[in-house]
């Protein structure tokens, strides 16, 4: 009789524990989906402001209107940077549309591919072909009719640097090549006359308008599929909670331990592409000199997901799941995130520009500077994310 009572008690407690875990995971997933939707919505709305300012620039070019368009690009870029943590989550931004994934969009490369061969799109200064490419750009090739469909087809057609669409093409068309020494702390110096009296001014304006429209469309698709009744949001509800949590965690793991630390920090530190072999060609936002803010926005995006917050939105998070499982591990995870954020802030708030800092460091240095210290902190955070995921039953590749 006693064995029967104990068995029943064990089954009741086990059921309660699983039920409680499932409820908590569902709350984490709902909060995450809400954050994703609202951050994409904010990014889309900011892109609409960018689109408006670019149309104004093209309609009546002036130095003032060029500066407004540049500011709107920077503002929109900051919001988009926080969404990059949603990559590598088996979500719509990475997955191609198919019978099994009718919600797939796979427009990440169309929005954010980099670095670019500048001459693939527009003119580049003679003598910079080693990093700007040696194409007769689309804008200058009058045998080509510029259409949105063409720009999509041309994107990454030759190599992964033959980029024709996205944030960085718009950036290039607003700022132009950055050909000043890094210590001068100047971005590209394209003049507004490139849209008035310069050769191919009309085609340049047409290209800029079309590529911006395409970015707005791409963001709108993401907003719609992540909305409450959107195709991907509906699909998400059909998946097992553990599977979704694993996808969420992989996004943070990938951005922290690979894309941000390796591709966006180590790569430019060790690069020799760009003006005077400075490596600035491999900055994420090399034309506007906005890479320091890109890095911060990416780290902020990781924190948004890790702690379940986005401006006024706040709710259950992966961190809460870890804390419930093991308070000590949760503390290590938080300390790693805090250290990574502090390290990134040293870059973001540094009086010296990013493209100068990369000339002062190497990944093989015995004593690291601010960029490589951030790499170490970000990779440590990635390790702690993996350990924490394992603790709550998630295995990362």
């Amino acid at each position: 009789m006693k064995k029967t009572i104990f068995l029943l008690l064990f089954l009741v407690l086990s059921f309660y524990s699983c039920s409680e875990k499932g409820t908590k995971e569902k709350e984490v997933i709902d909060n995450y989906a809400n954050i994703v939707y609202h951050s994409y919505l904010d990014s889309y709305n900011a892109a609409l402001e960018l689109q408006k300012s670019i149309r104004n620039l093209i309609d009546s070019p002036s130095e003032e209107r060029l500066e407004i368009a540049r500011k709107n690009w920077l503002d929109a870029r900051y919001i988009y940077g926080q969404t990059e943590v949603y990559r590598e989550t088996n979500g719509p931004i990475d997955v191609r549309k198919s019978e099994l994934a009718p919600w797939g969009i796979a427009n990440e490369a169309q929005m954010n591919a980099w670095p670019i061969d500048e001459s693939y799109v527009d003119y580049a200064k003679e003598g910079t072909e080693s990093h700007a490419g040696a194409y007769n750009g689309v804008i200058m090739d009058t045998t080509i009719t510029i259409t949105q469909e063409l720009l999509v087809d041309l994107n990454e057609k030759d190599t992964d640097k033959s980029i024709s669409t996205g944030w960085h093409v718009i950036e290039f068309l607003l700022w132009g090549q950055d050909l000043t020494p890094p210590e001068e702390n100047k971005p590209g110096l394209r003049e507004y006359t490139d849209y008035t009296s310069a050769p191919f001014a009309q085609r340049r304006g047409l290209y800029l308008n079309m590529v911006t429209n395409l970015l707005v469309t791409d963001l709108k698709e993401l907003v719609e599929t992540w909305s409450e009744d959107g195709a991907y949001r509906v699909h998400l509800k059909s998946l097992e909670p553990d599977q979704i949590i694993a996808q969420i965690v992989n996004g943070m793991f990938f951005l922290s331990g690979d894309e941000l630390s390796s591709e966006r920090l180590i790569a430019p530190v060790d690069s020799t592409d760009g003006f005077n072999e400075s490596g600035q060609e491999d900055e994420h936002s090399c034309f506007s000199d906005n890479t320091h803010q890109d890095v911060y926005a990416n780290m902020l995006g990781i924190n948004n997901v890790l702690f379940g917050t986005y401006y006024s939105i706040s709710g259950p998070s992966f961190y809460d799941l870890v804390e419930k499982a093991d308070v000590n591990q949760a503390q290590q995870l938080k300390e790693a995130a805090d250290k990574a954020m502090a390290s990134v802030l040293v870059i973001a708030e540094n009086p010296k520009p990013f493209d100068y800092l990369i000339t002062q460091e190497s990944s093989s240095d015995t004593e690291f500077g601010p960029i490589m210290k951030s790499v170490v902190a970000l990779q440590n955070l990635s390790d702690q994310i993996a350990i924490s995921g394992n603790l709550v039953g998630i295995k990362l590749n």
Side-chain angles (χ1 to χ4, degrees), residues 310-342:
Y310 176 74
Y311 295 100
S312 63
I313 299 171
S314 181
S317 66
F318 172 67
Y319 174 78
D320 294 326
L321 295 178
V322 178
E323 187 176 43
K324 186 171 180 59
D326 188 323
V327 173
N328 291 331
Q329 178 54 37
Q331 182 61 29
Q332 290 186 58
L333 177 60
K334 186 177 186 307
E335 287 175 359
D338 289 346
K339 187 167 184 179
M341 177 57 82

Side-chain angles (χ1 to χ4, degrees), residues 80-238:
Y80 180 79
Q82 296 177 59
T83 72
E84 294 201 65
V85 71
Y86 314 140
R87 292 181 55 200
E88 297 298 320
T89 60
N90 201 36
I93 194 169
D94 288 317
V95 175
R96 293 193 178 279
K97 188 172 184 177
S98 66
E99 187 175 340
L100 293 176
W103 41 264
I105 300 173
N107 58 0
E108 196 279 331
Q110 190 163 285
M111 290 193 294
N112 201 40
W114 68 286
I116 77 172
D117 279 339
E118 294 99 308
S119 69
Y120 193 65
V121 172
D122 199 2
Y123 69 87
K125 185 176 179 179
E126 187 176 346
T128 64
E129 293 86 359
S130 61
H131 56 265
Y135 296 95
N136 180 30
V138 174
I139 288 170
M140 298 173 291
D141 188 348
T142 55
T143 66
I144 296 175
T145 301
I146 300 173
T147 65
Q148 239 179 52
E149 292 73 21
L150 173 75
L151 300 187
V152 170
D153 290 342
L154 289 177
N155 198 47
E156 296 184 314
K157 185 175 181 179
D158 292 348
T159 71
D160 59 2
K161 289 184 70 174
S162 54
I163 309 301
S164 58
T165 66
W167 287 104
H168 299 294
V169 169
I170 298 170
E171 179 195 9
F172 171 52
L173 290 173
L174 291 176
W175 273 274
Q177 287 179 286
D178 183 359
L179 299 174
T180 54
E183 58 270 21
E184 290 187 14
N185 197 13
K186 292 179 181 178
L189 301 174
R190 186 186 291 273
E191 297 183 0
Y192 79 91
T193 51
D194 270 4
Y195 294 95
T196 57
S197 57
F200 312 105
Q202 187 174 2
R203 284 176 64 85
R204 188 169 293 110
L206 177 63
Y207 193 118
L208 177 56
N209 187 52
M210 285 190 175
V211 76
T212 305
N213 292 345
L214 182 60
L215 176 67
V216 168
T217 299
D218 283 334
L219 288 168
K220 185 180 181 183
E221 284 189 278
L222 289 167
V223 171
E224 289 174 345
T225 201
W226 275 99
S227 66
E228 189 63 40
D229 298 319
Y232 186 69
R233 192 79 166 261
V234 171
H235 168 73
L236 204 63
K237 294 172 184 176
S238 72

